[in-house]
Amino acid sequence: MAATDAPQYRIDPPLERIPEMGRIPAGSAIEARLEKIWETAPGWRGWLSTVDHKTIGVRYLVTAFLFLVIGGIEALFLRIQLAGPDMAFLTPEQYNQLFTMHGVTMIFLYALPVLSGFSNYLWPLLLGSRDMAFPRLNALSYWIFLFAGLFMYISFPLGQAPNAGWFNYVPFSGPIYNTGPNIDVFALGMVLLGISTTVGSINFVVTLFRMRAPGMTINRVPILVWGTLTASVANLFAIPAVSLAFFLLWLDRQIGAHFFDVANNGQPLLWQHLFWIFGHPWVYVVVLPAMGIVSDALPTFCRRPLVGYTAVALATMATMLLGFGVWVHHMFATGLPTVALSIFGAASMVISIPSAVAVFAWIATIWLGKPVFKTPFLFFAGFVALFIIGGMSGVMTAAVPLDWQLNETYFIVAHLHYVLLGINVFPVVGAIYYWFPKFTGRMMSEKLGKWSFWTMFIGFNAGFFPMHIAGLLGMPRRIYTYPSRMGWDEVNLITTVGSFIFAVGVLIFLVNVVLSVKRGARAGANPWDAPTLEWAVSSPPPAYNFATIPTIASRHPLWEGRIEGEEEHSRTKLEEGYLLMRGRETLGTSPIDAKPVVILKMPEDSYTPFLVGLFVSLLFVGLLLHSWTFTALMAALSCAALSSWMWPRRKLGQRTTRHGPASAGRGGEGP
Amino acid sequence: MGVQYSLAVRSAFSHSAAAGIAHIVASLRTLELVKPMKASKSGFDSRSAIKNLRFRITFLALSTIAARPSEAADTLRTPLNYFLYSYGPAATPVMHLGWLMTALLSAITFIVILLLVIAIVRKRSSADSGMIGAESGGLRWVYIGTGISTFILAGLTVYFLAVLNAVAKPTEAPALTLTVTGYDWWWSIEYEHADPAKRFVTANEIHIPVGRPVLLKLKSADVIHAFWVPVLAGKTQMIPGLVNQKWIQADAPGVYVGQCAQFCGVAHAHMNLEVVAESDQDFEKWQEAQRRTAFPVSEHNEHGYKLFMDRCGGCHAVRGTEAEGLHGPDLTHLNSRGRIAAGLLTNTPDHLMDWITRAQYFKPGARMPSIALSDSEASALASYLSTLN
Amino acid sequence: MSETARVVSQPLPVGSVGKLSGGWWGMIALIVTEASLFGYLLFTYFYLAAQSGQDWPPTGLPGLLIPGINTIILLASSAAFWAGERRIQQGGTRSSIFGFIAAIALGSAFVAIQLLEWKNKTFSINSDLYGSLYFTITGFHLCHVIIGLGVLLLLLAWTMMGYFDHKRHVAITIGGVYWHFVDVVWLFVFSALYLSPYLQRG
């Protein structure tokens, strides 16, 4: 094919062409060629250089689960210490470091990365594309996440872990009251992690607008995509607030700046504003994609499409929009004027409405469907129950005067765990059961699956429901111990027992994963008879995802023709489609109605993302160690690596030389 | 009525070994509005279901009307339990708000989860399993469910805004203004007075006259703390560089426990305080006593006094002596207080000496060091300290 | 829902072409988040100024002459780059180089003058709150200018190597919009740090 183009475009790669349509039968020579174009080199070279969204997605998932286990073990230590009054299992300083790292790990190193893992793996498959918009940026995002996670733990073995809570209020986290490297590790680690989250978010946003298969119009994209899109857009606006806050804190601590320095007119409340302007949207960032997972996967087990697709999609976006206007409800007790409290309190009430939309849509979907009681269904149904409880306790905290009592007590701890475990962990575990066959080609054990669900569900409620009571009995959060005279002994003992039962449930799940990877029953392409595109390709999918770019005609491409009362419409074409194989290529479409507008050249595997990630992370190590020469060197290396990344490449359809037919010879067009 | 009901349950069990569990059950019951008839031997005669239903309705209604608890505050088994107890106008409307919201939202939770369970288990016609249900339909669920939710949320918003207004300011002018300053990890309390000679400073124990609103100016000397005496009022942060205001009022005499509610570092768990509400006369008497400087040292206590000046006076103040330290609590009238070390220990001579010699054991990380004393030094110091009445 | 996209019979552009390229969209997203960052910086500035309860800035009103001239220099740099990009679109690759060189020279002049301005300040980043704000905000901006200059240098190099022509110059468009963004942000920084004190003092 390259040969026919060559005379016409002697100097430059072609600027335009008509994409061919066709079929690629499985096992054909042409398929082998496609495989060759997209495959990753074997061994460590491929391991460091791959830009395949599926590999990156799995890495995100595995890394996030490792952090989940670490954060979980930290939580168990905390629960042992709180099992009875006046316990001395941990010193107060150990307790403070552990609860801080528990929060930091779960909220920043598990909750979003695990969802990024699903989205990275699934988006191109759900959307009918061959990769994300920026595969190399995707790899960079993962590497920086990994390095930032390690970075935040570097002072842990020294007994110098961050100890000021995940929201790290100044002046306690400032230079006077918290000396030592701990808060600097946290501050710089957060800025570093912010880079990862930002580039990841940019990638999702651009992917949604550019990378959908033809016919995948905006009203046909799965709800998971809506959830991740909404979260990503929110990140673009919210992450700078927290990165800035932590950077200013670092300047205060290390350069002697005065942003939060009370003695020099600095304002501790500025920290709370900047942190919660980020922090509240972040709560939605770590739940909306998980809610999307349920909205997409629950219907598979209800044997009917989701009720109220449009309403749920709009509710997702409405939640986030409102989410930017309620940060002050974390600051009701800071002495702000009553008028401001009234407004933010009322807004916090309103934000429950979109959640109600989603809840009733899910219940209606189950009610009107014919549920199949597989393990994923149990997790999704359990999630709905926990979501309801967590939502109701959230409404209570929106009522300003009541929040003056509830705030900073175990009631909040209970609420946030119902929200974060209920709305993040339960859907995530359900989603692993659901997509495990796609990831590995094998089914997970149903028997262990049901055991894991019931153990987790019972343990969770036994552990966390009593925390509501502890809160109502006045137990403040973040105390390392309590005297018996407060009357909190029994609730805490029950909570500790429940948390261990929950941990056993998680363990059963992990055992199931390990066993099933090796010994699970073989799964076909679509073991659940699910409706969405990812199930149209083999399990696990080939490197190129879709041999031909499909043309989509409905929200449920794999259920077409079987839906009751379905109107006559043209069918989704999965077998025949765009043949794009002059190098790594995929189709770019228009943002709203997904009409083909451009043939996109996709990058080859590359070491530069790893190198950029490494150099940038080392730059932060340099800042931490006050080694300015090293920092400058790493900055220079980062710039050099970035320049090489951006350098025009013929394989990307970029022009790389001014003259010469010679260049046509080494053209990157053909294989 | 709600309170009386739960008190009935509490008293039934309070001396048994299962008191703790019973208390949780009682709290749970109140939370979820489970019918009280089973446990209420002493309280209610409920033979019929209708009567029970009527009870539940009146419970809801009455819980919004003032309920005056009969139990003395200082004997509470859960002294920070703001959900079942409130002793002042800044807390009571909030407690009722809590009851209403808990009852209503628990009921809604119950109904919606019930719908979910029915949706899961209800019988279906065993039609062709290969067919997929129609996409349309079911929207009525969303409309009705969201509609009702919106209506309820709007009602709750109006109610909580009313409560917010009710508790934002006292109805009459404050009888007293105090400045409470949070320190790592104790509280300094300054009683203002137009006459500077009548101002005085104390620590960790606030005395107020019963039935009168008291204005608190909240400050911090170091990091953010939060002032919280749950049965009197909600919490307010004490932020360095700012002065926040709040008011409290106790309608019954007693001792009300408070605890710092904002994580403030290593001894955050051990930062309690007590509010003692007493009659006007008792309060005046207390104030008079607090305004006095320390008694002159008798010869017998010279040794202890000198030790105090050497070892303690750098951080602690005793008015009328050379000890003018500002880093720790004012000890002028140490023995007038019920507890020491910000609520950690009851104030007995033995506890006091334990605290002085092993402060770091009782309150790890506290600013107060464990002070090594020989036996003779200890008894001399104890003897001197016993004069700080 | 019944509509299916038709089979394409027109030629489609291939690769990074114009505003269809992913890079363009990515840059817009980056600018959104960067603009938020500066938004929060200015929020910080005004919040702390309002809470300080003292005359602002405490060191007296800033001189406007040099920063004013510097502002014009930076805007001129944007204009020069814009002219260069326009030349490329018209096929004048060679003359566009002069536009880019001018843009880089003016940008560098801005950096030099800004550093001079820093040197003449009587306060520093750790002397007082205003110093912290002033140097952090202008420092953030200066970093962006320096990164922008790096991008412009790369673009200049690629232009001189003949990588761009009238049809294929998306990198110029993308790099250019970043440079324009950096310049526009300066207008906000300039207004906040230099002009707003005059307004507040009437």
Side-chain angles (χ1 to χ4, degrees):
Chain A
M1 263 170 272
T4 52
D5 289 338
Q8 220 174 334
Y9 301 100
R10 283 160 57 108
I11 296 173
D12 296 327
L15 277 171
E16 55 180 33
R17 75 167 199 260
I18 298 175
E20 295 141 279
M21 301 288 287
R23 289 165 184 271
I24 298 186
S28 62
I30 195 164
E31 193 199 25
R33 216 176 89 195
L34 198 57
E35 183 73 47
K36 188 126 183 72
I37 293 173
W38 285 88
E39 76 185 357
T40 291
W44 64 269
R45 280 172 305 159
W47 204 82
L48 286 181
S49 67
T50 186
V51 295
D52 184 337
H53 71 96
K54 298 180 287 297
T55 313
I56 295 168
V58 170
R59 281 178 190 176
Y60 257 110
L61 288 173
V62 171
T63 314
F65 266 99
L66 284 177
F67 281 120
L68 176 78
V69 170
I70 293 171
I73 292 170
E74 286 160 357
L76 293 179
F77 274 92
L78 302 177
R79 282 321 313 175
I80 294 174
Q81 165 68 16
L82 291 177
D86 298 320
M87 298 265 289
F89 176 69
L90 298 170
T91 67
E93 180 59 27
Q94 284 170 336
Y95 184 91
N96 294 347
Q97 293 187 14
L98 282 171
F99 87 66
T100 301
M101 288 314 288
H102 168 70
V104 170
T105 306
M106 292 307 199
I107 289 167
F108 296 119
L109 302 178
Y110 160 75
L112 182 67
V114 80
L115 299 175
S116 299
F118 281 110
S119 297
N120 263 316
Y121 194 100
L122 293 169
W123 267 46
L125 291 166
L126 288 169
L127 295 176
S129 182
R130 282 181 173 158
D131 209 322
M132 300 283 290
F134 305 114
R136 287 175 293 180
L137 209 54
N138 211 8
L140 175 69
S141 170
Y142 170 75
W143 290 120
I144 295 188
F145 155 58
L146 175 68
F147 295 144
L150 296 175
F151 188 95
M152 286 201 230
Y153 266 93
I154 47 178
S155 61
F156 190 87
L158 308 173
Q160 297 266 15
N163 62 355
W166 74 279
F167 44 78
N168 204 46
Y169 277 0
V170 292
F172 178 58
S173 60
I176 300 172
Y177 301 101
N178 224 320
T179 52
N182 49 0
I183 303 295
D184 300 308
V185 166
F186 187 23
L188 292 172
M190 283 298 289
V191 178
L192 184 58
L193 185 65
I195 297 173
S196 162
T197 314
T198 301
V199 297
S201 299
I202 290 175
N203 207 352
F204 284 122
V205 172
V206 179
T207 301
L208 178 92
F209 287 122
R210 308 291 299 139
M211 309 293 286
R212 308 195 311 263
M216 177 69 81
T217 53
I218 202 79
N219 59 344
R220 289 176 187 160
V221 300
I223 302 284
L224 166 60
V225 174
W226 280 118
T228 311
L229 173 76
T230 309
S232 301
V233 172
N235 276 337
L236 295 184
F237 290 100
I239 296 285
V242 75
S243 297
L244 179 65
F246 275 100
F247 185 73
L248 297 183
L249 176 61
W250 183 77
L251 289 180
D252 265 18
R253 291 175 59 86
Q254 298 302 330
I255 311 289
H258 304 288
F259 297 103
F260 309 114
D261 172 12
V262 181
N264 284 286
N265 270 324
Q267 293 291 340
L269 263 188
L270 173 66
W271 174 273
Q272 296 192 25
H273 281 295
L274 285 176
F275 189 88
W276 290 117
I277 285 173
F278 150 83
H280 201 81
W282 183 260
V283 173
Y284 296 109
V285 162
V286 299
V287 299
L288 289 176
M291 290 161 68
I293 285 175
V294 175
S295 296
D296 288 342
L298 184 66
T300 300
F301 298 95
C302 294
R303 313 308 302 153
R304 63 152 291 136
L306 179 72
V307 168
Y309 168 91
T310 310
V312 174
L314 290 176
T316 305
M317 285 177 280
T319 305
M320 190 50 89
L321 212 61
L322 291 167
F324 272 91
V326 297
W327 81 90
V328 167
H329 77 210
H330 298 268
M331 300 167 62
F332 282 158
T334 56
L336 292 172
T338 313
V339 182
L341 299 182
S342 306
I343 294 168
F344 281 98
S348 306
M349 285 283 184
V350 173
I351 206 164
S352 313
I353 296 174
S355 304
V357 171
V359 166
F360 287 105
W362 293 320
I363 295 179
T365 306
I366 299 174
W367 188 288
L368 299 171
K370 295 172 190 164
V372 182
F373 299 110
K374 297 286 187 187
T375 306
F377 175 83
L378 295 180
F379 275 96
F380 300 143
F383 145 84
V384 177
L386 302 179
F387 185 95
I388 294 164
I389 299 174
M392 294 300 166
S393 56
V395 170
M396 290 180 71
T397 63
V400 179
L402 191 55
D403 183 70
W404 285 340
Q405 297 284 21
L406 302 174
N407 191 7
E408 295 293 328
T409 70
Y410 263 79
F411 191 88
I412 299 296
V413 182
H415 164 67
L416 78 90
H417 282 91
Y418 266 83
V419 172
L420 292 179
L421 273 161
I423 314 185
N424 184 301
V425 176
F426 274 79
V428 159
V429 174
I432 295 278
Y433 278 104
Y434 182 58
W435 277 299
F436 191 83
K438 186 53 60 186
F439 297 160
T440 65
R442 289 174 188 276
M443 305 297 290
M444 284 178 75
S445 157
E446 270 294 311
K447 195 176 162 194
L448 279 176
K450 289 192 168 126
W451 271 99
S452 69
F453 169 74
W454 287 111
T455 320
M456 281 174 72
F457 191 75
I458 292 167
F460 175 79
N461 284 295
F464 291 92
F465 196 84
M467 283 189 180
H468 290 108
I469 315 280
L472 296 178
L473 297 179
M475 180 167 168
R477 60 195 288 204
R478 300 177 167 183
I479 52 172
Y480 81 97
T481 191
Y482 52 90
S484 200
R485 72 181 174 108
M486 293 300 187
W488 305 325
D489 304 5
E490 299 83 3
V491 274
N492 275 293
L493 185 60
I494 298 172
T495 289
T496 298
V497 172
S499 65
F500 274 85
I501 297 174
F502 181 70
V504 169
V506 175
L507 195 65
I508 297 175
F509 160 70
L510 293 175
V511 167
N512 197 355
V513 168
V514 172
L515 293 181
S516 304
V517 165
K518 289 266 180 254
R519 284 188 237 151
R522 290 275 172 197
N526 191 0
W528 311 110
D529 186 21
T532 38
L533 267 188
E534 78 274 28
W535 302 103
V537 298
S538 63
S539 304
Y544 48 83
N545 292 356
F546 298 92
T548 59
I549 304 296
T551 304
I552 311 304
S554 78
R555 266 175 217 154
H556 322 286
L558 307 189
W559 278 356
E560 283 171 18
R562 290 193 285 149
I563 300 181
E564 287 168 22
E566 191 181 12
E567 288 168 35
E568 279 300 309
H569 61 77
S570 51
R571 291 285 164 81
T572 295
K573 282 187 215 147
L574 294 169
E575 302 301 322
E576 187 180 359
Y578 294 89
L579 294 173
L580 298 171
M581 43 198 311
R582 302 183 188 185
R584 290 189 178 181
E585 289 180 335
T586 191
L587 203 60
T589 52
S590 57
I592 305 296
D593 49 6
K595 297 227 162 71
V597 289
V598 60
I599 295 169
L600 294 168
K601 308 292 282 184
M602 304 304 283
E604 300 293 308
D605 289 353
S606 160
Y607 295 112
T608 40
F610 174 74
L611 291 175
V612 172
L614 185 68
F615 294 144
V616 170
S617 305
L618 287 174
L619 185 156
F620 278 78
V621 173
L623 288 176
L624 183 68
L625 300 176
H626 282 223
S627 171
W628 308 127
T629 348
F630 183 74
T631 306
L633 180 68
M634 287 306 132
L637 285 173
S638 304
C639 289
L642 275 170
S643 307
S644 115
W645 178 329
M646 298 299 167
W647 210 269
R649 276 178 182 73
R650 199 177 168 76
K651 284 194 172 184
L652 293 178
Q654 288 152 336
R655 182 175 152 140
T656 50
T657 178
R658 211 180 321 176
H659 305 292
S663 62
R666 55 180 156 94
E669 283 306 291
Chain B
M1 266 186 95
V3 165
Q4 281 165 5
Y5 149 63
S6 84
L7 290 182
V9 176
R10 289 159 54 82
S11 59
F13 286 96
S14 59
H15 298 296
S16 75
I21 303 293
H23 183 78
I24 296 163
V25 175
S27 317
L28 269 170
R29 288 218 170 103
T30 322
L31 267 175
E32 297 198 340
L33 276 190
V34 176
K35 27 185 170 305
M37 53 181 194
K38 282 181 199 156
S40 60
K41 284 185 183 111
S42 54
F44 305 93
D45 173 27
S46 47
R47 275 176 219 121
S48 67
I50 299 163
K51 219 171 181 181
N52 174 43
L53 186 68
R54 200 184 324 152
F55 166 76
R56 278 196 280 171
I57 293 164
T58 43
F59 179 95
L60 259 180
L62 287 178
S63 65
T64 57
I65 303 169
R68 181 110 9 230
S70 53
E71 199 168 359
D74 33 347
T75 61
L76 289 185
R77 225 200 126 254
T78 51
L80 301 189
N81 181 345
Y82 55 86
F83 186 72
L84 294 182
Y85 305 101
S86 67
Y87 292 88
T92 306
V94 180
M95 181 173 73
H96 296 153
L97 175 66
W99 289 353
L100 180 101
M101 287 189 87
T102 308
L104 190 63
L105 296 174
S106 303
I108 296 170
T109 307
F110 181 74
I111 293 167
V112 180
I113 291 185
L114 192 68
L115 285 176
L116 173 68
V117 171
I118 297 173
I120 293 171
V121 301
R122 78 192 187 99
K123 274 219 158 60
R124 272 118 175 139
S125 62
S126 50
D128 175 20
S129 58
M131 222 32 202
I132 303 295
E135 178 163 19
S136 60
L139 276 175
R140 207 185 299 170
W141 277 83
V142 177
Y143 295 145
I144 295 174
T146 311
I148 295 174
S149 311
T150 308
F151 182 74
I152 293 170
L153 287 167
L156 287 176
T157 306
V158 172
Y159 182 26
F160 96 68
L161 289 176
V163 173
L164 177 60
N165 269 325
V167 300
K169 282 196 183 93
T171 45
E172 51 184 298
L176 189 67
T177 302
L178 312 179
T179 301
V180 183
T181 308
Y183 282 77
D184 277 347
W185 290 272
W186 59 280
W187 318 77
S188 157
I189 301 130
E190 211 178 324
Y191 281 72
E192 292 183 9
H193 199 280
D195 175 5
K198 291 194 165 177
R199 291 177 197 164
F200 64 91
V201 176
T202 178
N204 297 338
E205 190 177 296
I206 300 176
H207 284 243
I208 58 170
V210 161
R212 300 186 188 281
V214 175
L215 181 69
L216 304 178
K217 291 183 177 169
L218 303 177
K219 293 184 187 175
S220 169
D222 34 55
V223 304
I224 299 178
H225 303 278
F227 182 91
W228 190 37
V229 183
V231 296
L232 296 183
K235 59 185 73 67
T236 303
Q237 286 186 9
M238 312 166 96
I239 301 168
L242 294 179
V243 182
N244 275 337
Q245 298 207 344
K246 81 177 292 121
W247 68 285
I248 54 173
Q249 176 177 334
D251 286 342
V255 179
Y256 305 93
V257 182
Q259 181 157 7
C260 175
Q262 185 67 49
F263 176 63
C264 54
V266 71
H268 167 56
H270 299 306
M271 187 167 165
N272 290 47
L273 81 159
E274 283 181 341
V275 174
V276 180
E278 52 204 359
S279 67
D280 282 0
Q281 298 92 313
D282 287 350
F283 176 68
E284 272 312 316
K285 239 195 300 185
W286 177 83
Q287 276 207 104
E288 280 311 313
Q290 293 291 316
R291 280 173 189 146
R292 281 197 296 269
T293 54
F295 292 112
V297 185
S298 66
E299 206 169 305
H300 168 65
N301 281 322
E302 275 295 346
H303 182 44
Y305 174 77
K306 214 170 154 308
L307 263 174
F308 185 89
M309 291 304 134
D310 281 355
R311 306 278 185 92
C312 315
C315 291
H316 294 281
V318 173
R319 277 173 278 134
T321 73
E322 292 151 28
E324 288 172 338
L326 294 172
H327 300 292
D330 181 295
L331 299 180
T332 313
H333 301 287
L334 172 64
N335 297 324
S336 71
R337 298 179 199 150
R339 302 185 82 89
I340 53 170
L344 189 57
L345 300 167
T346 49
N347 192 1
T348 66
D350 285 348
H351 279 166
L352 185 59
M353 290 319 290
D354 274 351
W355 166 244
I356 290 169
T357 52
R358 295 197 296 159
Q360 291 300 315
Y361 167 80
F362 289 104
K363 193 167 173 175
R367 299 280 185 249
M368 168 101 175
S370 296
I371 296 181
L373 294 172
S374 68
D375 286 352
S376 63
E377 285 175 331
S379 66
L381 190 60
S383 171
Y384 170 68
L385 289 174
S386 70
T387 67
L388 299 176
N389 289 314
Chain C
M1 295 233 352
S2 59
E3 183 204 1
T4 313
R6 296 227 182 80
V7 172
V8 176
S9 53
Q10 304 274 317
L12 292 180
V14 176
S16 308
V17 180
K19 291 182 179 170
L20 293 173
S21 71
W24 167 262
W25 286 76
M27 181 52 74
I28 297 300
L30 180 69
I31 286 174
V32 165
T33 194
E34 291 265 40
S36 308
L37 175 66
F38 279 96
Y40 293 123
L41 270 169
L42 296 184
F43 166 78
T44 300
Y45 174 80
F46 286 113
Y47 181 87
L48 291 174
Q51 302 277 328
S52 78
Q54 49 176 268
D55 276 348
W56 198 262
T59 44
L61 290 169
L64 286 183
L65 182 65
I66 292 176
I69 293 171
N70 218 10
T71 305
I72 293 165
I73 289 177
L74 196 61
L75 292 180
S77 171
S78 248
F81 190 88
W82 177 78
E85 187 186 347
R86 223 178 120 74
R87 284 301 300 146
I88 280 216
Q89 286 164 356
Q90 293 162 348
T93 313
R94 212 157 263 284
S95 49
S96 71
I97 290 175
F98 296 110
F100 298 154
I101 291 176
I104 292 169
L106 288 164
S108 307
F110 174 87
V111 172
I113 294 171
Q114 183 67 21
L115 288 175
L116 210 68
E117 170 89 352
W118 276 13
K119 217 180 147 201
N120 290 336
K121 290 291 178 195
T122 53
F123 48 83
S124 70
I125 190 166
N126 52 14
S127 62
D128 64 343
L129 180 62
Y130 180 74
S132 299
L133 282 166
Y134 176 84
F135 281 101
T136 304
I137 296 172
T138 55
F140 257 98
H141 183 261
L142 200 63
C143 277
H144 280 74
V145 173
I146 290 169
I147 291 169
L149 283 173
V151 172
L152 294 195
L153 278 169
L154 267 184
L155 292 175
L156 175 67
W158 292 340
T159 312
M160 291 170 78
M161 291 161 85
Y163 287 2
F164 304 124
D165 59 21
H166 66 289
K167 278 183 167 171
R168 204 179 299 246
H169 52 263
V170 62
I172 303 268
T173 317
I174 297 170
V177 73
Y178 182 75
W179 187 244
H180 299 317
F181 162 73
V182 169
D183 298 351
V184 169
V185 160
W186 173 253
L187 292 180
F188 286 90
V189 172
F190 179 74
S191 307
L193 293 184
Y194 290 92
L195 298 183
S196 78
Y198 287 90
L199 294 175
Q200 279 160 12
R201 298 227 176 152

